[in-house]
Amino acid sequence: AQSVTQLGSHVSVSEGALVLLRCNYSSSVPPYLFWYVQYPNQGLQLLLKYTTGATLVKGINGFEAEFKKSETSFHLTKPSAHMSDAAEYFCAVSESGAAGNKLTFGGGTRVLVKP
Amino acid sequence: GAGVSQSPSNKVTEKGKDVELRCDPISGHTALYWYRQRLGQGLEFLIYFQGNSAPDKSGLPSDRFSAERTGESVSTLTIQRTQQEDSAVYLCASSLAMGLVSEQYFGPGTRLTVT
């Protein structure tokens, strides 16, 4: 069975500071990894995904994440936080080759950006 | 084009009553997923439909939960004899295909409150 752990349910950053959201996963097969963002009263939006190939993945809004197999991690970063980055972020995993691409989500990290 | 839509956006019901939640996927999307998001938690997979194949019901928490989908169109999630622990946001997502890792597009969700 696969699982996802997001360290820290709440993160507070200053505008212009580095955003770092941690995600660790467990999977019995090579994983596909995702980061989603959820703005208030909206559905989830895909930020980026890793399937195969380059381990550093770039997404929308200046976010990127690096797949580290040895550490079973897929941490999300953004060099400089913007007020519009305030939202909840979810890391998710699906198992490559499994039918249906069912996603298993972490508990989410709510980001607060201080001016 | 239009995204995934869900109705109602909010539903308050009394314990013991049945509720029906609706999802309209993006036109042409063959795969459809239902997830549940409890307060302060990540999303839990409930059920997945792919075309005319038998649905994957492995995430349904009890036999009070059921879902239907006609072809590649609308889906309804039904909860019978609702309990307070059913209170959550129910999210629907659709995607183009299951063979490759297709992005899941999420609707805004239905917030269910059982009193």
Side-chain angles (χ1 to χ4, degrees), chain B residues 1 31-33 41 44 49 52 55 62 66 83 87 92 107 109 113-114:
Chain B
L32 187 147
Y33 307 77
Q41 299 184 25
E44 307 168 70
F49 296 89
N52 294 318
S62 78
S66 63
Q83 303 295 313
S87 295
C92 174
T113 304
V114 182

Side-chain angles (χ1 to χ4, degrees), chain B residues 26-43:
Chain B
I26 294 173
S27 177
H29 280 195
T30 58
L32 187 147
Y33 307 77
W34 284 97
Y35 294 89
R36 177 171 69 176
Q37 185 178 22
R38 287 173 161 161
L39 185 64
Q41 299 184 25
L43 281 74

Side-chain angles (χ1 to χ4, degrees), chain A residues 32 43 49 90 100-102 106, chain B residues 33 37 42 45 56 100-101 104:
Chain A
Y32 293 151
K49 67 182 179 185
F90 293 94
N101 293 328
K102 292 178 291 185
Chain B
Y33 307 77
Q37 185 178 22
F45 165 78
D56 177 350
L100 300 174
V101 183
Q104 294 184 26

Side-chain angles (χ1 to χ4, degrees), chain A residues 54-76:
Chain A
T55 56
L56 181 62
V57 180
K58 295 186 184 298
I60 62 172
N61 301 339
F63 284 93
E64 62 182 37
E66 186 171 12
F67 169 57
K68 292 187 177 181
K69 183 178 178 180
S70 62
E71 299 178 7
T72 60
S73 70
F74 191 57
H75 302 330
L76 181 72

Side-chain angles (χ1 to χ4, degrees), chain A residues 5-38:
Chain A
T5 301
Q6 291 183 239
L7 188 63
S9 58
H10 291 78
V11 167
S12 181
V13 298
S14 297
E15 191 174 18
L18 171 72
V19 179
L20 170 60
L21 305 182
R22 300 181 186 275
C23 172
N24 288 87
Y25 71 90
S26 67
S27 177
S28 57
V29 299
Y32 293 151
L33 295 158
F34 307 80
W35 275 100
Y36 282 85
V37 60
Q38 186 177 34

